[in-house]
Amino acid sequence: MLGLPKGEVFLIPWTNEWVKEFTNESEKITSELGELILAVHHIGSTAVKNLSAKPIIDIAIELNDFQLGNHCVQGLERLGYEYKGTDILPERHYFSKGEPRTHQIHMFQTGNIYLKKQLAFRDYLLNDNEALDEYQTLKETLSRTHQTDKITYSHAKTDFINKIMEKLGLT
């Protein structure tokens, strides 16, 4: 199942279908954008086996130069994405797909600290079962208490994420 309606926060158990969906979408993006991009990464909770997640596939696209993101807009629109600009989240081009939203793209210049943090956090959870369990519990609690407030839900995870970033030297 994919798709999170506006104004709702809920989690579903991790499924291998998310890996397949990312792989299919990544192939479409790579075919459409070609040499404009350096890499396509699966990020967010759907990228972490055994972690419940909001049913949205988060994708990070790495660019050689941030301004190349402007040249990717038409190609991603052909794939059904809507360009939201660079003011939604820091230092990235942001795109979303579907209503309810099924995919979102965060497009970064290579070496960007936000991209590094996304990849490092994902990898940390993939390799530390204790942190994974703790994060799972936190997300479950927050999703129950903030079912209609995505912003509060997201902000309430910040302390946990920042502790991991501190451990990794990415503060």
Side-chain angles (χ1 to χ4, degrees):
M1 177 190 155
L2 277 182
L4 185 69
K6 283 185 180 176
E8 291 186 34
V9 176
F10 61 85
L11 305 176
I12 62 172
W14 187 87
T15 172
N16 196 51
E17 293 303 313
W18 291 339
V19 176
K20 292 175 187 172
E21 183 62 34
F22 166 76
T23 301
N24 290 339
E25 202 69 13
S26 175
E27 289 170 0
K28 290 177 194 174
I29 290 167
T30 301
S31 176
E32 184 65 42
L33 299 181
E35 293 182 13
L36 287 171
I37 62 175
L38 294 175
V40 180
H41 305 279
H42 191 181
I43 59 171
S45 294
T46 61
V48 180
K49 187 175 183 176
N50 299 321
L51 182 62
S52 294
K54 294 179 299 193
I56 300 171
I57 304 297
D58 280 295
I59 299 168
I61 296 178
E62 207 169 334
L63 304 169
N64 217 10
D65 181 323
F66 188 72
Q67 295 309 315
L68 288 173
N70 296 317
H71 300 286
C72 297
V73 173
Q74 284 186 335
L76 290 172
E77 285 176 342
R78 282 192 288 274
L79 296 177
Y81 287 90
E82 183 179 345
Y83 184 51
K84 302 292 188 172
T86 57
D87 297 331
I88 302 291
L89 293 164
E91 297 182 36
R92 73 196 77 187
H93 296 272
Y94 178 73
F95 300 80
S96 66
K97 182 178 186 176
E99 189 51 53
R101 188 170 28 132
T102 58
H103 300 75
Q104 49 195 17
I105 292 175
H106 308 263
M107 190 176 282
F108 301 96
Q109 181 167 321
T110 192
N112 179 285
I113 188 64
Y114 294 104
L115 174 61
K116 287 180 181 180
K117 286 180 176 184
Q118 287 280 347
L119 297 173
F121 187 67
R122 176 201 66 195
D123 294 347
Y124 189 88
L125 292 177
L126 286 168
N127 292 298
D128 188 312
N129 288 331
E130 188 176 315
L132 176 67
D133 291 343
E134 189 177 341
Y135 193 50
Q136 172 72 27
T137 300
L138 175 64
K139 289 178 59 155
E140 287 172 352
T141 300
L142 294 174
S143 70
R144 283 191 302 271
T145 56
H146 303 293
Q147 293 177 8
T148 59
D149 190 348
K150 181 182 76 166
I151 293 171
T152 301
Y153 167 81
S154 294
H155 287 325
K157 298 184 299 180
T158 302
D159 285 344
F160 180 87
I161 295 167
N162 285 342
K163 285 178 188 171
I164 302 298
M165 292 300 105
E166 226 173 90
K167 285 182 185 180
L168 298 173
L170 290 171
T171 53

